Amino acid sequence: MKLSYNKIVYHILLISMGFGQYSSPHRFSLKSASDGEISFFLDGFNSNVVAEIKLMSDSLTWFGTGRGLSMHDGQSSYTYQSTNDSIVDVFSNPSSITNVLPAGGVSAIATANDTLLVAFAGDDNDTPIGLGLAFTPKAKDWYETEPSERMSFTFSWDSSGSDISNGVYFGFESGYQPGSGYSGSFLVISPLNELDKISIKDSVQTNTIIKVTNSDLSKVLSFTVQSVSDFSAGQIQLLITSGSITYSNISDIGFLDNESVKLSITKATKAVQWKYLPQPVDNELDIEVPFGEGYFWQLPVTVPQANVTYDASISGKYLYVASWAGGLRRYDLSINLRKPQNVPMPMDWQSQLSTCQDSAYIDTVSKITGESIPVLKDYYLNPRDPGDGGNHNHKAFSVLAYDDRIWVGTANGINKGRIVEEITQISENEFEILSCIEWDHYKYPTNGISGNFVVALGKQDWNGQTTIWAATVGTGEAGEMQGLSYSRDDGVSWKTALIGERVYNIESKDSLVFVSTSSGLWKSLDGENWAKLDPAIEQSMLNQRQILTNVVYAAKIDDRDSIPKLWIGTPDGVGLAQDTQGNNWQIYQSNHYPNEVYAYPNPFSPMTHNMLNNDGYVRFHIGNIYNKEVKIDIFNFAMEKVHSKNYNLNSYYGALKWDGRDMLGNHVANGVYFIRINYASSSNQSPGDNWTKLIVVK
């Protein structure tokens, strides 16, 4: 059964994951493995659309982009490798592990300590579709994955170093020392033939890991290669990285002379070991679901269409996911990952819902077993639209969980849940576990929020007070407005701010609050007085990096250093300010053809692309530049000059760009335009003309 969906949801999906996907070229290659490593991290960002930012450990920062998961490790940025192939999920095989992620946009990220959850989404004939979740409890160990074997050879251990044919031995100080193992500085290999020698030399590089084992694997020797070279006629020398030798044998003996050994050439693997979870769906028979003191009845959601995980939150042993038509569900992380539990929330007309009180249930005949069971009174979980018998409040879009609290934003307001976890002894050897939620439901106009579609939630702790922030958007009901709604008294009362602003996300630290909106990033110290930061421009020589949009999707205060920094995610890349005032930006954007001259987006619309202060821009990429002046001339198809500008890079910072206007300030006509860019691309070259072509379509 395919569920209906609100058009505003699809619009948000396109904004957060699809807009600007092809505003830059989309060719890129695997991270270089020439240093003896296999990496599932690709250099740089693969998309400029960044809607999620999460911090982890001392230096890792994760980004949800329109084309996958990206990461900054404190020095460089990477995008994680993805695949369109099917991935075995943990429900089909509980022990399955994958090093790749599903191809698609990232719709949600949740972190807690080293745990990372990433949700993926795409579209199915213009309908949003959930592509599943990837989970790992050890995200920061992306550089400690087990090495991968590339090839192996059989040799004889030459403990005396007599250079026997097809032998292998440690050079010079090679003897095995009981209790301490091997300590050689290089290994000598004597291949049987020239072909094996060539294969080994071609495969072994700096950082390659060599593993030597006997036939029953009771002896295991490994080390990291520092360099490879010829030794004597027909032999190879592997210089060993100091301190890298490891050896294991329970009998504390080394390899025996002439013992047959397997020499494996492996490469270190930079990867995260993920568990893949399919998009949460129900079976057709999941009409009766246990929760709290009994059961509730529901309409099963059996397809991933209109079932996208837009938000996730980890608190204690639970991972909560908000998946629109898929509703609110939770995984119990204290046990092996299994099918998540559906969580009932109030129906549209309910201001409260108890799943903890016996009085909230009534004994009813089970639709599955025919036996008498306690079922929630007058309750049916149905995420269809109200006109089709459903509830907008069962369409979950945002979730925030901490301690014994959970807040959920839906298409019908804000839900506050008090999580109850109790273990009661009912006999000497018998215990009853109660896990339930007591809900309060707040909505427009009854409770004072600005609109009933709640797309983001945030929590601020300051001076002993907790403030809950909500990005609230209208659903079409008279009087609703988009803006920011907040409560400082645990939901008892609500106030509004930034009315008229399309809010995407909220970030806070102590007294400081940042709100990401379609008009820019707003900042406040009290929640009542607001100032907007200027769009980000990197002011370093010869880089031409600038965020060409007012829109900010996400912000994150990075307080891992003594001076807090500020990350922002936009439709045009990521910015990192060196303080929370928005000073000294570093900008990270996709850069797929680093040495080529091109215009993007191409075709270009000055009415829709890279909108900055009501003007649209096309960006010109020119690769390396070694002089301080760049001249750009633009000609129409008749080779009439329509635009000309000189850039003095001693004083100009930002992108080389054009707003699609002629020299009189009017937008040019649709058509093909030729761009001439004059600059020097190397230190020993004089400035010269470089040409590219652009199509303008208004």
Side-chain angles (χ1 to χ4, degrees):
M1 175 183 56
K2 205 167 188 176
L3 289 160
S4 63
Y5 63 96
N6 192 312
K7 288 184 179 179
I8 193 171
V9 178
Y10 186 53
H11 177 64
I12 289 172
L13 180 72
L14 289 177
I15 287 177
S16 62
M17 295 190 296
F19 176 80
Q21 287 308 291
Y22 303 103
S23 61
S24 62
H26 41 94
R27 177 186 73 188
F28 69 110
S29 59
L30 281 171
K31 186 178 186 300
S32 172
S34 61
D35 60 354
E37 294 178 341
I38 299 170
S39 179
F40 287 83
F41 289 88
L42 318 174
D43 286 327
F45 282 83
N46 191 31
S47 170
N48 282 337
V49 181
V50 178
E52 293 276 344
I53 305 174
K54 300 292 183 182
L55 308 180
M56 180 177 286
S57 68
D58 294 335
S59 59
L60 292 183
T61 306
W62 299 96
F63 304 94
T65 84
R67 300 179 70 199
L69 179 69
S70 293
M71 181 265 281
H72 191 276
D73 66 357
Q75 296 180 332
S76 302
S77 56
Y78 306 97
T79 293
Y80 202 88
Q81 187 175 344
S82 60
T83 180
N84 287 306
D85 295 337
S86 60
I87 301 174
V88 178
D89 64 75
V90 295
F91 300 153
S92 301
N93 180 1
S95 63
S96 64
I97 296 291
T98 177
N99 284 335
V100 295
L101 294 173
V106 172
S107 54
I109 300 178
T111 59
N113 299 320
D114 298 340
T115 298
L116 176 64
L117 182 283
V118 187
F120 296 87
D123 67 272
D124 178 19
N125 295 323
D126 293 336
T127 299
I129 182 171
L131 299 177
L133 317 171
F135 173 85
T136 177
K138 297 180 179 180
K140 76 173 185 179
D141 295 339
W142 57 276
Y143 47 83
E144 295 179 356
T145 306
E146 186 71 19
S148 301
E149 181 178 303
R150 311 307 294 164
M151 62 177 61
S152 63
F153 300 84
T154 299
F155 290 97
S156 294
W157 189 260
D158 183 11
S159 58
S160 61
S162 55
D163 294 326
I164 62 173
S165 178
N166 204 44
V168 58
Y169 65 91
F170 276 118
F172 303 139
E173 67 278 30
S174 61
Y176 178 80
Q177 298 296 322
S180 58
Y182 288 100
S183 59
S185 59
F186 65 93
L187 190 79
V188 177
I189 303 174
S190 303
L192 270 178
N193 52 59
E194 186 66 19
L195 184 60
D196 284 354
K197 179 182 178 182
I198 293 172
S199 295
I200 293 172
K201 288 192 67 177
D202 286 347
S203 301
V204 177
Q205 300 161 325
T206 300
N207 290 334
T208 294
I209 297 175
I210 299 296
K211 182 179 288 187
V212 182
T213 57
N214 64 342
S215 58
D216 63 2
L217 302 181
S218 62
K219 303 172 185 177
V220 180
L221 166 73
S222 68
F223 60 85
T224 302
V225 175
Q226 180 176 320
S227 64
V228 57
S229 61
D230 290 328
F231 187 63
S232 62
Q235 293 181 311
I236 301 170
Q237 173 184 270
L238 304 182
L239 190 63
I240 298 171
T241 300
S242 177
S244 69
I245 295 177
T246 64
Y247 180 76
S248 63
N249 175 251
I250 58 175
S251 300
D252 195 17
I253 59 174
F255 294 107
L256 304 178
D257 196 31
N258 291 318
E259 182 174 5
S260 178
V261 296
K262 174 185 173 183
L263 186 146
S264 301
I265 299 172
T266 73
K267 288 190 175 183
T269 302
K270 288 188 175 181
V272 174
Q273 293 190 324
W274 303 95
K275 289 182 177 291
Y276 174 66
L277 310 172
Q279 189 63 28
V281 294
D282 303 309
N283 297 319
E284 290 285 357
L285 295 179
D286 290 336
I287 58 176
E288 194 171 87
V289 182
F291 196 89
E293 288 284 358
Y295 294 79
F296 67 90
W297 286 332
Q298 70 168 12
L299 175 72
V301 176
T302 59
V303 295
Q305 285 83 0
N307 175 8
V308 172
T309 299
Y310 287 107
D311 202 5
S313 184
I314 301 172
S315 178
K317 68 176 184 177
Y318 288 119
L319 161 64
Y320 293 90
V321 295
S323 303
W324 193 241
L328 177 68
R329 304 184 187 222
R330 69 182 184 185
Y331 297 84
D332 188 339
L333 301 181
S334 67
I335 57 178
N336 289 332
L337 287 170
R338 60 185 183 185
K339 186 176 179 180
Q341 184 180 32
N342 296 53
V343 179
M345 292 189 296
M347 299 171 71
D348 286 356
W349 56 270
Q350 292 178 305
S351 60
Q352 293 180 320
L353 175 68
S354 172
T355 65
C356 302
Q357 302 298 320
D358 288 338
S359 59
Y361 296 80
I362 185 171
D363 288 338
T364 309
V365 175
S366 168
K367 296 180 179 181
I368 304 297
T369 66
E371 299 176 353
S372 179
I373 59 170
V375 176
L376 272 176
K377 294 178 183 177
D378 303 319
Y379 186 85
Y380 188 59
L381 194 157
N382 182 353
R384 287 184 178 274
D385 291 341
D388 199 16
N391 294 271
H392 283 323
N393 200 48
H394 293 164
K395 300 182 180 79
F397 200 90
S398 51
V399 59
L400 170 66
Y402 57 92
D403 301 330
D404 67 344
R405 279 285 185 270
I406 178 170
W407 298 82
V408 183
T410 71
N412 190 241
I414 301 170
N415 300 268
K416 179 188 72 175
R418 181 172 64 87
I419 303 168
V420 177
E421 298 277 336
E422 294 179 353
I423 300 177
T424 304
Q425 186 171 359
I426 57 179
S427 67
E428 183 178 354
N429 297 312
E430 190 175 3
F431 295 84
E432 182 179 72
I433 301 175
L434 174 65
S435 178
C436 58
I437 300 178
E438 300 278 36
W439 290 105
D440 290 301
H441 180 199
Y442 311 108
K443 60 182 180 178
Y444 174 89
T446 307
N447 302 104
I449 64 176
S450 76
N452 275 333
F453 189 19
V454 183
V455 300
L457 293 163
K459 173 176 174 278
Q460 178 189 18
D461 292 311
W462 175 241
N463 275 348
Q465 183 180 61
T466 295
T467 301
I468 298 299
W469 298 93
T472 42
V473 180
T475 60
E477 186 173 341
E480 284 183 297
M481 294 178 289
Q482 60 186 13
L484 190 64
S485 300
Y486 64 98
S487 174
R488 301 193 190 277
D489 53 14
D490 203 33
V492 174
S493 62
W494 293 85
K495 297 181 180 180
T496 60
L498 296 178
I499 293 300
E501 292 290 336
R502 173 62 176 90
V503 177
Y504 294 109
N505 273 301
I506 307 103
E507 166 70 356
S508 66
K509 177 67 177 178
D510 297 332
S511 64
L512 186 58
V513 182
F514 284 103
V515 176
S516 304
T517 77
S518 59
S519 69
L521 184 64
W522 293 85
K523 174 183 176 180
S524 176
L525 291 172
D526 58 13
E528 297 179 3
N529 299 288
W530 297 87
K532 188 164 60 176
L533 273 63
D534 292 330
I537 299 176
E538 184 168 333
Q539 296 190 346
S540 57
M541 296 295 291
L542 305 179
N543 67 59
Q544 302 95 52
R545 285 191 284 269
Q546 177 181 5
I547 300 292
L548 288 179
T549 180
N550 294 107
V551 177
V552 177
Y553 288 144
K556 196 69 179 177
I557 300 169
D558 189 341
D559 60 353
R560 293 175 292 189
D561 291 331
S562 56
I563 299 177
K565 299 178 181 179
L566 177 66
W567 291 96
I568 60 170
T570 78
D572 193 40
V574 168
L576 174 62
Q578 300 307 301
D579 58 29
T580 56
Q581 308 301 317
N583 294 314
N584 193 14
W585 288 98
Q586 291 175 267
I587 293 174
Y588 302 88
Q589 293 165 318
S590 55
N591 185 20
H592 304 305
Y593 303 91
N595 298 317
E596 297 183 20
V597 176
Y598 54 87
Y600 66 97
N602 193 0
F604 160 62
S605 170
M607 306 301 182
T608 58
H609 288 137
N610 293 330
M611 298 300 296
L612 180 65
N613 300 328
N614 298 318
D615 280 316
Y617 290 93
V618 60
R619 176 185 276 110
F620 300 114
H621 182 279
I622 61 175
N624 294 327
I625 180 170
Y626 285 86
N627 62 315
K628 300 296 180 65
E629 290 190 6
V630 177
K631 183 178 182 181
I632 296 179
D633 295 309
I634 301 177
F635 303 86
N636 62 19
F637 198 74
M639 293 308 293
E640 299 167 330
K641 186 182 293 187
V642 298
H643 175 82
S644 181
K645 184 169 182 177
N646 292 328
Y647 292 87
N648 183 341
L649 301 186
N650 286 311
S651 57
Y652 175 81
Y653 300 103
L656 303 179
K657 57 187 183 292
W658 179 44
D659 60 4
R661 298 180 186 272
D662 61 22
M663 289 182 281
L664 297 177
N666 301 313
H667 280 120
V668 299
N670 292 347
V672 177
Y673 291 82
F674 301 96
I675 319 299
R676 182 175 65 194
I677 308 176
N678 183 273
Y679 69 101
S681 59
S682 65
S683 58
N684 58 359
Q685 181 186 62
S686 299
D689 290 341
N690 297 267
W691 290 86
T692 190
K693 184 168 63 175
L694 172 69
I695 299 174
V696 174
V697 181
K698 289 184 287 187

Coordinates of all heavy atoms in Angstrom, one line a residue, residues 429-486:
N429 N 11.3 -15.2 41.4 CA 12.1 -15.4 40.2 C 11.5 -14.8 39.0 O 11.9 -15.1 37.9 CB 12.4 -16.9 40.0 CG 13.1 -17.5 41.1 OD1 14.1 -17.0 41.6 ND2 12.6 -18.7 41.6
E430 N 10.6 -13.9 39.2 CA 9.9 -13.3 38.0 C 9.9 -11.8 38.1 O 9.6 -11.2 39.2 CB 8.5 -13.8 37.9 CG 7.8 -13.5 36.6 CD 6.5 -14.2 36.5 OE1 6.0 -14.8 37.5 OE2 5.8 -14.0 35.5
F431 N 10.3 -11.1 37.0 CA 10.3 -9.6 37.0 C 9.5 -9.2 35.8 O 9.4 -9.8 34.8 CB 11.7 -9.1 36.9 CG 12.6 -9.4 38.1 CD1 13.2 -10.7 38.2 CD2 12.8 -8.5 39.1 CE1 14.0 -11.0 39.3 CE2 13.5 -8.8 40.2 CZ 14.2 -10.0 40.3
E432 N 8.9 -8.0 36.0 CA 8.1 -7.4 34.9 C 8.8 -6.1 34.5 O 9.2 -5.3 35.3 CB 6.7 -7.1 35.3 CG 5.8 -6.5 34.3 CD 4.4 -6.2 34.8 OE1 4.3 -5.3 35.6 OE2 3.5 -6.9 34.4
I433 N 9.1 -5.9 33.2 CA 9.7 -4.7 32.7 C 8.7 -3.9 32.0 O 8.0 -4.3 31.1 CB 10.8 -5.1 31.7 CG1 11.9 -6.0 32.3 CG2 11.5 -3.9 31.1 CD1 13.0 -6.5 31.4
L434 N 8.6 -2.6 32.5 CA 7.7 -1.7 31.9 C 8.5 -0.6 31.2 O 9.3 0.1 31.7 CB 6.8 -1.0 32.9 CG 5.9 0.1 32.5 CD1 4.8 -0.4 31.5 CD2 5.2 0.8 33.6
S435 N 8.2 -0.4 29.9 CA 8.8 0.6 29.1 C 7.7 1.3 28.3 O 7.1 0.8 27.4 CB 9.9 0.0 28.1 OG 10.4 1.0 27.3
C436 N 7.5 2.6 28.7 CA 6.3 3.3 28.1 C 6.6 4.8 28.1 O 7.7 5.2 28.5 CB 5.1 3.0 28.9 SG 5.2 3.5 30.7
I437 N 5.7 5.5 27.5 CA 5.9 7.0 27.3 C 4.6 7.7 27.6 O 3.5 7.2 27.2 CB 6.3 7.4 25.9 CG1 7.7 6.7 25.6 CG2 6.4 8.9 25.7 CD1 8.2 7.0 24.1
E438 N 4.7 8.7 28.4 CA 3.5 9.6 28.7 C 3.6 10.9 27.8 O 4.6 11.6 28.0 CB 3.5 10.0 30.2 CG 3.4 8.8 31.1 CD 1.9 8.3 31.3 OE1 1.2 8.3 30.3 OE2 1.6 7.9 32.4
W439 N 2.6 11.1 27.0 CA 2.8 12.2 26.0 C 1.9 13.4 26.3 O 0.8 13.3 26.8 CB 2.3 11.7 24.6 CG 3.2 10.7 24.0 CD1 3.0 9.3 23.8 CD2 4.4 10.9 23.3 NE1 4.0 8.7 23.1 CE2 4.9 9.7 22.8 CE3 5.2 12.1 23.1 CZ2 6.1 9.6 22.1 CZ3 6.4 12.0 22.4 CH2 6.8 10.7 21.9
D440 N 2.4 14.6 26.0 CA 1.7 15.8 25.9 C 1.8 16.4 24.5 O 2.9 16.3 23.9 CB 2.2 16.9 26.9 CG 1.9 16.5 28.3 OD1 0.7 16.4 28.7 OD2 2.9 16.4 29.1
H441 N 0.8 16.9 23.9 CA 0.7 17.3 22.5 C 0.4 18.8 22.4 O -0.6 19.3 22.9 CB -0.4 16.5 21.8 CG -0.6 16.8 20.4 ND1 -1.7 16.5 19.7 CD2 0.3 17.4 19.5 CE1 -1.6 16.8 18.4 NE2 -0.4 17.4 18.3
Y442 N 1.3 19.6 21.8 CA 1.2 21.0 21.7 C 1.1 21.4 20.2 O 1.8 20.9 19.4 CB 2.4 21.7 22.3 CG 2.8 21.3 23.6 CD1 3.9 20.5 23.8 CD2 2.0 21.6 24.7 CE1 4.3 20.1 25.1 CE2 2.4 21.2 26.0 CZ 3.5 20.4 26.2 OH 3.9 20.0 27.4
K443 N 0.1 22.3 19.9 CA -0.1 22.7 18.5 C -0.6 24.1 18.4 O -1.1 24.7 19.3 CB -0.9 21.6 17.8 CG -2.4 21.5 18.3 CD -3.1 20.4 17.6 CE -4.5 20.2 18.1 NZ -5.3 19.2 17.4
Y444 N -0.6 24.5 17.1 CA -1.3 25.8 16.8 C -2.8 25.6 16.6 O -3.2 24.6 16.0 CB -0.6 26.4 15.5 CG -1.3 27.6 15.0 CD1 -0.9 28.9 15.4 CD2 -2.4 27.5 14.1 CE1 -1.6 30.0 15.0 CE2 -3.1 28.7 13.7 CZ -2.6 29.9 14.1 OH -3.3 31.0 13.7
P445 N -3.6 26.5 17.0 CA -3.3 27.7 17.7 C -3.4 27.6 19.2 O -3.1 28.5 20.0 CB -4.4 28.7 17.2 CG -5.6 27.8 17.0 CD -5.0 26.4 16.6
T446 N -3.8 26.4 19.7 CA -4.1 26.2 21.1 C -2.9 26.6 22.0 O -3.1 27.2 23.1 CB -4.5 24.7 21.4 OG1 -5.5 24.4 20.5 CG2 -4.9 24.6 22.8
N447 N -1.7 26.2 21.6 CA -0.5 26.3 22.5 C 0.5 27.4 22.2 O 1.5 27.5 22.8 CB 0.2 25.0 22.6 CG -0.7 23.9 23.1 OD1 -1.2 23.0 22.3 ND2 -1.1 23.9 24.4
G448 N 0.2 28.2 21.1 CA 1.0 29.3 20.8 C 2.2 29.2 19.9 O 3.0 30.1 19.7
I449 N 2.4 28.0 19.3 CA 3.5 27.8 18.4 C 3.0 28.5 17.1 O 1.9 28.7 16.8 CB 3.9 26.3 18.1 CG1 2.7 25.5 17.5 CG2 4.3 25.7 19.5 CD1 3.1 24.1 17.2
S450 N 4.0 28.8 16.2 CA 3.7 29.6 15.0 C 3.0 28.8 13.9 O 2.3 29.3 13.1 CB 4.9 30.4 14.5 OG 5.8 29.5 13.8
G451 N 3.4 27.5 13.8 CA 2.8 26.7 12.8 C 3.0 25.2 13.2 O 3.7 24.9 14.1
N452 N 2.2 24.4 12.6 CA 2.1 23.0 13.0 C 3.0 22.0 12.4 O 3.2 20.9 12.8 CB 0.6 22.5 12.8 CG -0.3 22.8 14.0 OD1 0.2 23.0 15.1 ND2 -1.6 23.0 13.7
F453 N 3.7 22.4 11.3 CA 4.7 21.5 10.7 C 6.1 21.8 11.4 O 6.7 22.9 11.1 CB 4.7 21.8 9.2 CG 5.6 20.7 8.5 CD1 5.9 19.5 9.0 CD2 6.0 21.0 7.2 CE1 6.6 18.6 8.3 CE2 6.8 20.1 6.5 CZ 7.1 18.9 7.1
V454 N 6.6 20.9 12.2 CA 7.8 21.1 13.0 C 8.9 20.3 12.4 O 9.0 19.1 12.5 CB 7.5 20.7 14.4 CG1 8.8 21.0 15.3 CG2 6.3 21.4 15.0
V455 N 9.8 21.1 11.7 CA 10.9 20.4 10.9 C 12.2 20.3 11.6 O 13.1 19.6 11.1 CB 11.1 21.2 9.6 CG1 9.8 21.3 8.8 CG2 11.6 22.6 9.8
A456 N 12.4 20.9 12.8 CA 13.6 20.7 13.5 C 13.4 21.1 15.0 O 12.5 21.9 15.3 CB 14.7 21.6 12.9
L457 N 14.2 20.5 15.8 CA 14.1 20.7 17.3 C 15.5 20.9 17.8 O 16.5 20.4 17.3 CB 13.5 19.5 18.0 CG 12.0 19.3 17.7 CD1 11.6 17.9 18.1 CD2 11.1 20.3 18.4
G458 N 15.7 21.8 18.8 CA 16.9 22.0 19.5 C 16.8 22.2 21.0 O 15.7 22.6 21.4
K459 N 17.8 21.9 21.7 CA 17.8 22.0 23.2 C 19.0 23.0 23.6 O 20.1 22.8 23.2 CB 18.0 20.7 23.8 CG 18.1 20.6 25.3 CD 18.2 19.2 25.8 CE 18.5 19.1 27.3 NZ 19.9 19.1 27.5
Q460 N 18.6 23.9 24.5 CA 19.6 24.8 25.0 C 19.6 24.8 26.5 O 18.5 24.9 27.2 CB 19.3 26.3 24.6 CG 20.3 27.3 25.1 CD 19.8 28.7 24.8 OE1 18.6 29.0 24.5 NE2 20.7 29.7 24.9
D461 N 20.8 24.6 27.1 CA 20.9 24.6 28.6 C 21.8 25.8 29.0 O 22.9 25.9 28.6 CB 21.6 23.3 29.1 CG 20.7 22.1 28.9 OD1 19.5 22.1 29.3 OD2 21.2 21.1 28.3
W462 N 21.2 26.7 29.8 CA 21.9 27.9 30.2 C 21.3 28.4 31.5 O 20.1 28.5 31.7 CB 21.8 28.9 29.1 CG 22.4 30.3 29.5 CD1 21.8 31.5 29.6 CD2 23.8 30.5 29.8 NE1 22.6 32.5 29.9 CE2 23.9 31.9 30.1 CE3 24.9 29.7 29.9 CZ2 25.1 32.5 30.4 CZ3 26.1 30.3 30.3 CH2 26.2 31.7 30.5
N463 N 22.2 28.6 32.5 CA 21.9 29.2 33.8 C 20.8 28.3 34.5 O 19.8 28.9 35.1 CB 21.4 30.6 33.6 CG 22.6 31.6 33.7 OD1 23.7 31.2 34.0 ND2 22.3 32.8 33.3
G464 N 20.9 27.0 34.4 CA 19.9 26.2 35.1 C 18.6 26.1 34.4 O 17.7 25.5 35.0
Q465 N 18.5 26.6 33.2 CA 17.2 26.6 32.5 C 17.4 25.9 31.2 O 18.4 26.0 30.5 CB 16.7 28.0 32.2 CG 15.4 28.1 31.6 CD 14.9 29.6 31.4 OE1 15.6 30.3 30.7 NE2 13.8 30.0 32.0
T466 N 16.4 25.0 30.8 CA 16.4 24.4 29.5 C 15.4 25.0 28.6 O 14.2 25.2 29.0 CB 16.1 22.9 29.7 OG1 17.1 22.2 30.5 CG2 16.0 22.2 28.3
T467 N 15.8 25.4 27.4 CA 14.9 25.9 26.4 C 14.8 24.9 25.3 O 15.8 24.4 24.8 CB 15.4 27.3 25.9 OG1 15.6 28.2 26.9 CG2 14.5 27.8 24.8
I468 N 13.6 24.6 24.8 CA 13.3 23.8 23.7 C 13.0 24.7 22.5 O 12.0 25.5 22.6 CB 12.2 22.8 23.9 CG1 12.6 21.8 25.1 CG2 11.9 22.0 22.7 CD1 13.8 21.0 24.8
W469 N 13.8 24.6 21.4 CA 13.6 25.4 20.2 C 12.9 24.5 19.2 O 13.3 23.3 19.0 CB 14.9 26.0 19.7 CG 15.6 26.9 20.7 CD1 16.5 26.6 21.6 CD2 15.3 28.3 20.8 NE1 16.9 27.7 22.3 CE2 16.2 28.8 21.8 CE3 14.5 29.2 20.2 CZ2 16.2 30.1 22.2 CZ3 14.6 30.6 20.5 CH2 15.4 31.0 21.5
A470 N 12.1 25.1 18.4 CA 11.4 24.4 17.3 C 11.3 25.2 16.0 O 10.9 26.4 16.1 CB 10.0 23.9 17.7
A471 N 11.7 24.6 14.9 CA 11.5 25.3 13.6 C 10.1 25.0 13.1 O 9.8 23.8 12.8 CB 12.5 24.8 12.6
T472 N 9.2 26.0 13.1 CA 7.8 25.7 12.9 C 7.3 26.4 11.6 O 7.6 27.5 11.3 CB 6.9 26.2 14.1 OG1 7.4 27.5 14.5 CG2 7.0 25.3 15.2
V473 N 6.6 25.6 10.7 CA 6.2 26.0 9.4 C 4.7 25.8 9.3 O 4.1 24.9 9.9 CB 6.9 25.2 8.3 CG1 6.5 25.6 6.9 CG2 8.4 25.3 8.5
G474 N 4.0 26.7 8.6 CA 2.6 26.5 8.4 C 2.2 25.3 7.6 O 2.9 24.9 6.7
T475 N 1.0 24.7 7.9 CA 0.5 23.6 7.1 C -0.7 24.0 6.2 O -1.3 23.2 5.6 CB 0.1 22.5 8.0 OG1 -1.0 23.0 8.9 CG2 1.2 22.0 8.8
G476 N -1.0 25.3 6.2 CA -2.1 25.8 5.4 C -3.3 26.3 6.2 O -4.2 26.8 5.7
E477 N -3.2 26.1 7.5 CA -4.3 26.5 8.4 C -4.2 28.0 8.6 O -3.2 28.6 8.7 CB -4.2 25.8 9.8 CG -5.4 26.1 10.7 CD -5.3 25.3 12.0 OE1 -4.6 24.3 12.0 OE2 -6.0 25.7 12.9
A478 N -5.4 28.7 8.6 CA -5.5 30.1 8.7 C -4.7 30.6 9.9 O -4.9 30.1 11.0 CB -6.9 30.6 8.7
G479 N -3.9 31.6 9.7 CA -3.2 32.3 10.8 C -1.8 31.7 11.1 O -1.0 32.3 11.8
E480 N -1.5 30.5 10.5 CA -0.2 29.9 10.8 C 0.9 30.8 10.1 O 0.7 31.3 9.0 CB -0.1 28.5 10.2 CG -0.8 27.5 11.1 CD -0.6 26.1 10.5 OE1 -1.1 25.9 9.3 OE2 0.0 25.2 11.2
M481 N 2.1 30.8 10.7 CA 3.2 31.5 10.1 C 4.5 30.7 10.3 O 4.6 30.0 11.3 CB 3.4 32.9 10.8 CG 2.3 33.9 10.5 SD 2.5 35.5 11.3 CE 2.2 35.0 13.0
Q482 N 5.4 30.8 9.4 CA 6.7 30.2 9.6 C 7.6 31.0 10.5 O 7.5 32.2 10.5 CB 7.4 29.9 8.3 CG 7.7 31.1 7.5 CD 8.2 30.7 6.1 OE1 8.2 29.5 5.7 NE2 8.8 31.6 5.4
G483 N 8.4 30.3 11.3 CA 9.3 31.0 12.2 C 9.9 30.1 13.2 O 10.1 28.9 13.0
L484 N 10.2 30.6 14.4 CA 10.8 29.9 15.5 C 9.9 29.9 16.7 O 9.4 31.0 17.1 CB 12.2 30.6 15.8 CG 13.1 29.9 16.8 CD1 13.6 28.6 16.1 CD2 14.3 30.8 17.1
S485 N 9.7 28.8 17.3 CA 8.9 28.7 18.5 C 9.7 28.1 19.6 O 10.6 27.2 19.3 CB 7.6 27.8 18.2 OG 6.8 28.3 17.2
Y486 N 9.5 28.5 20.8 CA 10.3 28.0 21.9 C 9.6 28.1 23.2 O 8.7 28.8 23.4 CB 11.6 28.8 22.0 CG 11.5 30.3 22.4 CD1 11.6 30.7 23.7 CD2 11.2 31.3 21.4 CE1 11.5 32.1 24.0 CE2 11.1 32.6 21.7 CZ 11.2 33.0 23.1 OH 11.1 34.3 23.4

